[in-house]
Amino acid sequence: MEVIEHPVEKLRAPLVSSRRDLAERYWQYIKKERKVLGDGLRPNSVLFRPISVLFDSDWIRANPEGSHDFQSFFSNLYRSLTSKGHNTIYIQTDLLVRLVFTKTCMWNGCGLAALSGSFYYGLVVKTLPPVTVSTGCIYRVNSYSHNLQLYSGDLLRFLNKRKPKDAFCIVGITMIDLYPKESNFVFGQTSLTEGMGVFSFAKYDDNFFCHNYAGRLKKGSNCCGHEIALMFGLKPCQWLQCVMQGSDHLEESDRHPLSLGPICLWKLQSSVGLITDRYKAPHVV
Ligand SMILES: [Zn+2]
């Protein structure tokens, strides 16, 4: 196993920007919160760990250098911000297909909402009841896997119509495999500008549909934490172990922690705030 351990100076640069106003923004922050972030850069940090590489097929092998620092995040005109009246994350569980596929998932939507609520502490997280999406949604049987698949673009259009007025974003979950326009399958698809995402948990495990599937809540929460953060404008992360790390296979995504590294935490802090409160919150992830 290889460990990618960056020197403190290399990690400080993307955290504390060289742009004067952004650096001042960081240093004006209260000491406690700067300590959480700053301590994370040290090699022996108890909160944050360096990235481990187990296989040549790991995403980090092909993407070794971090490029998305706080400055590029903050300067992105298209990143989304919550506002009064638009600060609720909606999780639409059980996107079902009538007649073709009637088996509902064993998914614990409340558990997923609770974990997402801890992750985005300070925002409201609500689940929406299961819904049928058969009307107008294209589906197919994959010629390789012989699994039923739904066209992800149609699900996004469906979610767009159901997005409540007070939503910051809406995330749809389905147990059915998905496919995009020009690919064999996809784990999920997001529309960052529209604040929407749809994700399939069908490929997470062979026994995903069993009640005793122990990994489902962590996998689901990891996926939701990562994908909702993309809607805030965060990008895949190469600095330290972080839920925003990219992954090219399931084993790799399972290794990612259910938490943000210090640089991504600082990005989210500038959008949502409450780092200190977040770490005081019960069941924080
Ligand atoms: Zn990160």
Side-chain angles (χ1 to χ4, degrees):
M1 181 178 80
E2 182 191 340
V3 175
I4 301 176
E5 199 155 6
H6 299 298
V8 175
E9 299 71 37
K10 188 171 178 182
L11 293 172
R12 187 172 288 122
L15 180 69
V16 187
S17 174
S18 55
R19 215 175 87 181
R20 195 172 159 184
D21 59 328
L22 297 185
E24 282 174 0
R25 189 185 178 94
Y26 177 82
W27 290 113
Q28 280 168 6
Y29 230 63
I30 62 172
K31 199 175 169 186
K32 251 186 195 173
E33 291 172 335
R34 272 191 282 120
K35 186 168 164 49
V36 169
L37 298 170
D39 280 356
L41 309 183
R42 299 203 178 98
N44 298 324
S45 167
V46 289
L47 278 177
F48 306 104
R49 301 273 178 214
I51 293 173
S52 303
V53 186
L54 292 191
F55 302 105
D56 286 340
S57 56
D58 283 3
W59 176 85
I60 195 73
R61 275 267 186 259
N63 303 272
E65 289 297 319
S67 56
H68 197 250
D69 56 13
F70 182 77
Q71 183 172 326
S72 55
F73 164 79
F74 198 83
S75 310
N76 180 2
L77 298 175
Y78 299 104
R79 74 186 173 97
S80 302
L81 293 166
T82 54
S83 60
K84 196 177 176 189
H86 294 90
N87 62 352
T88 302
I89 294 170
Y90 283 92
I91 298 178
Q92 170 68 71
T93 57
D94 276 349
L95 290 166
L96 305 174
V97 181
R98 190 162 38 207
L99 300 175
V100 179
F101 189 92
T102 55
K103 188 174 182 180
T104 60
C105 72
M106 311 300 181
W107 188 257
N108 180 348
C110 294
L112 185 62
L115 277 165
S116 298
S118 294
F119 199 98
Y120 292 98
Y121 191 69
L123 298 183
V124 181
V125 180
K126 294 180 181 172
T127 51
L128 297 169
V131 66
T132 303
V133 294
S134 57
T135 310
C137 185
I138 300 172
Y139 59 87
R140 73 181 184 187
V141 174
N142 186 286
S143 53
Y144 298 102
S145 66
H146 306 295
N147 285 333
L148 178 72
Q149 292 184 305
L150 289 173
Y151 175 54
S152 51
D154 281 347
L155 287 181
L156 283 179
R157 269 190 288 282
F158 177 83
L159 284 176
N160 198 19
K161 290 180 196 154
R162 288 184 60 82
K163 189 176 173 185
K165 285 195 164 51
D166 63 339
F168 166 72
C169 67
I170 183 167
V171 175
I173 308 290
T174 178
M175 300 300 115
I176 305 167
D177 204 13
L178 299 177
Y179 73 97
K181 237 177 194 169
E182 292 167 351
S183 181
N184 195 31
F185 80 93
V186 69
F187 286 112
Q189 187 175 336
T190 33
S191 170
L192 305 187
T193 49
E194 300 287 334
M196 297 183 302
V198 61
F199 311 102
S200 167
F201 296 163
K203 281 192 158 56
Y204 274 9
D205 200 282
D206 289 341
N207 64 347
F208 186 80
F209 294 98
C210 299
H211 279 292
N212 61 356
Y213 175 41
R216 61 184 177 177
L217 198 55
K218 181 193 181 279
K219 281 171 187 277
S221 300
N222 195 310
C223 171
C224 277
H226 179 106
E227 301 297 340
I228 295 170
L230 292 178
M231 294 182 212
F232 279 99
L234 275 71
K235 297 274 173 70
C237 171
Q238 294 110 315
W239 310 107
L240 288 161
Q241 282 190 25
C242 176
V243 76
M244 295 311 294
Q245 280 176 249
S247 53
D248 278 344
H249 51 87
L250 279 176
E251 192 282 333
E252 185 181 17
S253 67
D254 285 349
R255 269 184 270 140
H256 297 343
L258 251 174
S259 55
L260 292 159
I263 294 155
C264 294
L265 195 54
W266 176 224
K267 293 174 184 173
L268 196 64
Q269 165 76 359
S270 73
S271 298
V272 182
L274 302 170
I275 285 181
T276 308
D277 290 343
R278 184 179 188 275
Y279 276 86
K280 282 183 194 164
H283 314 303
V284 76
V285 291

